[in-house]
Amino acid sequence: MDVWCAIRTYPKHAQELGNPIPQEPVFFLKPTSSVTEFGQIDSCEGDVHHEIELVLKIGENLEPVQMTIGLDLTKRSIQDHLKENRLPWAQAKAFRGSAVIGDWIDYNPMASYRLELNGNEVQKGSVIEMSWTPQELIDKLSNWAPIKQGDVLFTGTPSGVGPLTVGDEVTASLYIDEECILSHSAKVV
Ligand code: ZN
């Protein structure tokens, strides 16, 4: 299982970090061994930002078959430093525990999701707000990448990313037609 991640799929999030809105989706990878469950998030001395994302499991015909919510944890100041120096992002995105993934449910294109930080909503997004549909993301990725059945795709984060500090509690929830069908919490330690 490989873990692919799309970036800047929500124009508002690209703008909040001062990034151009790409014409074609851009991807990076996280190591499989960076995958962890909700429950506890290591604050890594305060540099970790939350990015809630819809996460897809890719099926036999390279289509989204399952989905869940996940956190693409990002060490933002390290990422900024690497970006400034035009270096790869691995240290900022592929560290231990950086891919938080919830329970899998059947894929539904009507999905939307929210992240609460200490009870306050900080991020929300939905499939219909993305620049590309999940199938379009998979199709474009499969043009050049060796993606295969069972791989996982983080689909990019909506606006509202921000830092996590020790003692914070985050709750990620997935909705279909306003009905909450999945919710996971984690404590920042
Ligand atoms: Zn992300």
Side-chain angles (χ1 to χ4, degrees):
M1 176 193 89
D2 289 318
V3 182
W4 306 89
C5 306
I7 63 168
R8 301 176 200 166
T9 54
Y10 284 85
K12 265 174 81 177
H13 168 64
Q15 286 165 340
E16 79 177 341
L17 294 186
N19 292 315
I21 299 164
Q23 297 300 307
E24 290 292 317
V26 176
F27 301 92
F28 68 93
L29 282 157
K30 285 179 186 271
T32 309
S33 49
S34 71
V35 171
T36 188
E37 297 175 349
F38 281 82
Q40 256 186 21
I41 293 171
D42 184 347
S43 65
C44 301
E45 272 105 56
D47 192 29
V48 169
H49 276 215
H50 56 78
E51 294 192 359
I52 188 173
E53 306 196 9
L54 184 72
V55 184
L56 305 172
K57 180 78 72 74
I58 294 171
E60 194 181 353
N61 301 311
L62 300 186
E63 81 283 30
V65 286
Q66 288 184 302
M67 64 179 183
T68 189
I69 30 178
L71 296 172
D72 164 21
L73 296 179
T74 304
K75 291 184 178 175
R76 192 70 70 198
S77 69
I78 291 175
Q79 187 194 31
D80 288 345
H81 169 78
L82 295 170
K83 277 160 78 174
E84 272 165 30
N85 291 281
R86 301 186 176 192
L87 294 168
W89 291 1
Q91 193 184 348
K93 288 282 197 182
F95 55 93
R96 276 186 289 276
S98 61
V100 183
I101 294 182
D103 295 337
W104 295 104
I105 59 171
D106 287 344
Y107 173 68
N108 186 313
M110 299 308 292
S112 65
Y113 50 96
R114 288 174 209 166
L115 186 72
E116 285 181 14
L117 176 61
N118 302 322
N120 301 312
E121 184 180 286
V122 288
Q123 289 192 275
K124 64 173 179 184
S126 61
V127 170
I128 52 171
E129 291 171 79
M130 292 166 54
S131 301
W132 299 275
T133 65
Q135 188 64 62
E136 285 172 334
L137 286 176
I138 295 170
D139 289 346
K140 286 173 182 289
L141 182 60
S142 71
N143 283 338
W144 58 268
I147 59 169
K148 58 191 184 305
Q149 181 180 13
D151 281 1
V152 164
L153 174 63
F154 278 71
T155 58
T157 196
S159 60
V161 300
L164 295 172
T165 44
V166 174
D168 282 345
E169 177 147 347
V170 295
T171 301
S173 304
L174 182 60
Y175 298 79
I176 295 173
D177 292 331
E178 295 302 307
E179 187 190 347
C180 182
I181 47 167
L182 191 63
S183 195
H184 288 291
S185 293
K187 192 99 187 150
V188 181
V189 297

